[in-house]
Amino acid sequence: MDNTFRLSNGVTIPAVGYGSFLSTEKNGIQTIKDALDAGYRYIDTAMFYRNEHEIGQAIAEYGIDRRELFICSKVWPTELGEDKTAASFEQSCKALGTDYLDMFLIHWPRADQSQGWEKPLAEGWRAMEKLYNEGRVRAIGLSNFLPHHIRPLLMTAEIRPMLDQLELHVGYMQEYALAYLREQNILPQAWSPLGRGRLIGDERITALAEKYGVTNAQILLGYLVQRGIPVIPKASSPQRMKENLDISGFELTEDEISYLSCLPETGWSGEHPDMK
Ligand SMILES: NC(=O)c1ccc[n+]([C@@H]2O[C@H](COP(=O)([O-])OP(=O)(O)OC[C@H]3O[C@@H](n4cnc5c(N)ncnc54)[C@H](OP(=O)(O)O)[C@@H]3O)[C@@H](O)[C@H]2O)c1
């Protein structure tokens, strides 16, 4: 199984990153230090998560070389616009205690259902391109963009998005969007790869976990990585963090991949870019 994936601009990203949403609620910065201890080098955050400062503090206290890390943050759609997006980037960098990001994403294509979302999006993307051209960010991309959000963006983009972070997990594989991303050479990445925990107890997953002598979480994550999709699970305990990183010891068969890909819809978060 692949440990890293390559973006269209040649930058490599770890197959398993640490998803930090709501991760510091209980134990604060110790959780991030635990993730670094467990071996995570990719940290997924966002302005919206309000934890960038804690992540920055944890990294500084942990004392790891910045270049060993892959830090990804996101701009909220209300902050799309040439100046606003640049300002959001600077704020994220400041909070994280870094002068560059490894990846910067537009968190959602639109803030609400009002008309005219394409214009701020195009302007925000221009700001992302500028940051990329200035060397402030190693890769730029999207999150929660479906093909009908990406097509208008590509009409004015000079630099193509390198990644799209989507809700992807067994039971919600968004195959139409995935096929489009593959066609466009935009790497899909899975948020809520465990269905936010909703899929952990699923007996169909348990049956495969028993066959391979691994945990249900490992089956869910291994499935995605085997399909060429990097994952960013969130876990609170060091034991779960390590478990989620350790997914290279088994390989699902083609038929099992098909079986998991064709399950009826299950575990959807209820979040959708056209229903916000
Ligand atoms: N771009 C976006 O719009 C977007 C949206 C949502 C999420 N995300 C990103 O994706 C990351 C992951 O998504 P998520 O947090 O929603 O859901 P998730 O990673 O699918 O699931 C997290 C849940 O699974 C549990 N869990 C983790 N490892 C486990 C294991 N080995 N065994 C059993 N249970 C386990 C966790 O419990 P404990 O915490 O108690 O261990 C938590 O309740 C987020 O943290 C965030 O960085 C992005």
Side-chain angles (χ1 to χ4, degrees), residues 36-193:
L36 293 170
D37 253 347
Y40 289 88
R41 291 298 175 261
Y42 181 123
I43 297 178
D44 178 80
T45 183
M47 170 74 80
F48 180 76
Y49 299 171
R50 299 182 184 280
N51 63 9
E52 291 171 304
H53 187 73
E54 287 171 297
I55 291 171
Q57 201 185 332
I59 291 170
E61 285 182 22
Y62 195 81
I64 189 167
D65 185 340
R66 167 71 183 87
R67 283 163 302 183
E68 278 189 43
L69 297 173
F70 193 107
I71 304 178
C72 171
S73 192
K74 314 182 193 85
V75 53
W76 195 245
T78 52
E79 304 309 302
L80 289 176
E82 288 202 52
D83 294 341
K84 283 202 285 185
T85 300
S88 177
F89 177 85
E90 296 303 342
Q91 227 177 305
S92 289
C93 281
K94 190 165 175 233
L96 287 160
T98 180
D99 56 4
Y100 75 96
L101 291 182
D102 295 281
M103 191 156 67
F104 197 44
L105 309 178
I106 297 179
H107 207 144
W108 292 85
R110 52 200 296 185
D112 52 41
Q113 291 311 300
S114 58
Q115 301 294 307
W117 54 276
E118 293 92 341
K119 190 164 176 278
L121 180 58
E123 287 172 3
W125 189 251
R126 214 166 300 135
M128 310 269 289
E129 292 175 327
K130 189 158 177 269
L131 291 164
Y132 181 77
N133 284 330
E134 289 169 355
R136 298 293 307 284
V137 58
R138 297 174 61 225
I140 50 177
L142 312 169
S143 174
N144 299 300
F145 277 59
L146 299 173
H148 54 283
H149 307 119
I150 300 175
R151 281 186 200 110
L153 178 84
L154 291 181
M155 305 222 335
T156 55
E158 285 176 10
I159 299 173
R160 295 166 64 80
M162 290 135 204
L163 178 139
D164 188 11
Q165 187 180 106
L166 293 177
E167 178 175 357
L168 293 171
H169 50 73
V170 168
Y172 195 67
M173 283 304 287
Q174 307 208 55
E175 299 289 354
Y176 181 88
L178 270 188
Y180 176 78
L181 293 178
R182 294 293 186 210
E183 193 187 289
Q184 295 295 327
N185 200 17
I186 299 170
L187 187 70
Q189 181 185 48
W191 66 253
S192 290

Side-chain angles (χ1 to χ4, degrees), residues 222-236:
Y223 160 77
L224 287 160
V225 173
Q226 234 181 287
R227 284 204 57 188
I229 302 169
V231 294
I232 45 167
K234 174 245 177 189
S236 303

